[in-house]
Amino acid sequence: MTGIGGFFFKCKNSKELVAWYAKHLGLKTDDYGSTFWWKDGKANDCSTQWSPFAEETTYFAPSEKQFMQNFRVDNLENLLLQLKEEGVTIVGEMGSYDYGKFGWILDPEGNKIELWEPIDYIFK
């Protein structure tokens, strides 16, 4: 793990909630939430996402929790192979997008965890 990639949670009205956080806590928000920028140990620009999701989203499935964590990782493909060998439940197939690669696992309590090998500069 190289850092927290994001915190995602379900809410009744994501647009209203995003506006509330912008107004009262000063978060710079867009339709997806807020991006926090920081530097890693090698002075690379890194991002962490804070994103409210619609209450009816199925993105967190098979978890029934109201939230999902996202962790930044290096070499997602190798990590998923290692986790599979260790008996960790892998959810679905790895996805590759312009902003990085994604994989999903379940922890022992059924919390879905998103693993992200990011391409940070896409968000600037």
Side-chain angles (χ1 to χ4, degrees):
M1 299 298 136
T2 61
I4 301 290
F7 181 73
F8 311 135
F9 59 97
K10 295 180 183 183
C11 62
K12 292 180 182 174
N13 188 321
S14 59
K15 289 189 186 289
E16 284 182 11
L17 194 62
V18 164
W20 185 92
Y21 275 88
K23 178 180 178 180
H24 298 289
L25 296 178
L27 290 185
K28 181 180 175 190
T29 58
D30 58 26
D31 288 343
Y32 303 103
S34 187
T35 303
F36 296 89
W37 287 97
W38 49 280
K39 301 273 188 192
D40 68 10
K42 297 177 183 174
N44 296 310
D45 288 330
C46 299
S47 63
T48 297
Q49 309 297 316
W50 171 89
S51 299
F53 278 67
E55 191 171 40
E56 61 276 359
T57 188
T58 58
Y59 191 66
F60 302 172
S63 175
E64 295 179 13
K65 303 290 176 105
Q66 298 298 307
F67 62 88
M68 184 174 69
Q69 301 173 81
N70 171 297
F71 291 105
R72 299 169 57 91
V73 302
D74 284 329
N75 201 334
L76 178 61
E77 291 178 53
N78 283 349
L79 177 59
L80 289 173
L81 289 173
Q82 177 187 341
L83 292 172
K84 185 175 182 176
E85 288 175 8
E86 294 171 0
V88 173
T89 301
I90 309 293
V91 178
E93 299 294 322
M94 186 182 78
S96 186
Y97 305 91
D98 292 342
Y99 43 90
K101 295 177 184 175
F102 292 85
W104 300 268
I105 62 173
L106 293 179
D107 73 12
E109 292 192 7
N111 297 305
K112 187 176 181 183
I113 299 168
E114 186 170 71
L115 303 172
W116 176 37
E117 184 180 326
I119 302 173
D120 289 293
Y121 68 83
I122 295 295
F123 296 104
K124 289 197 165 195

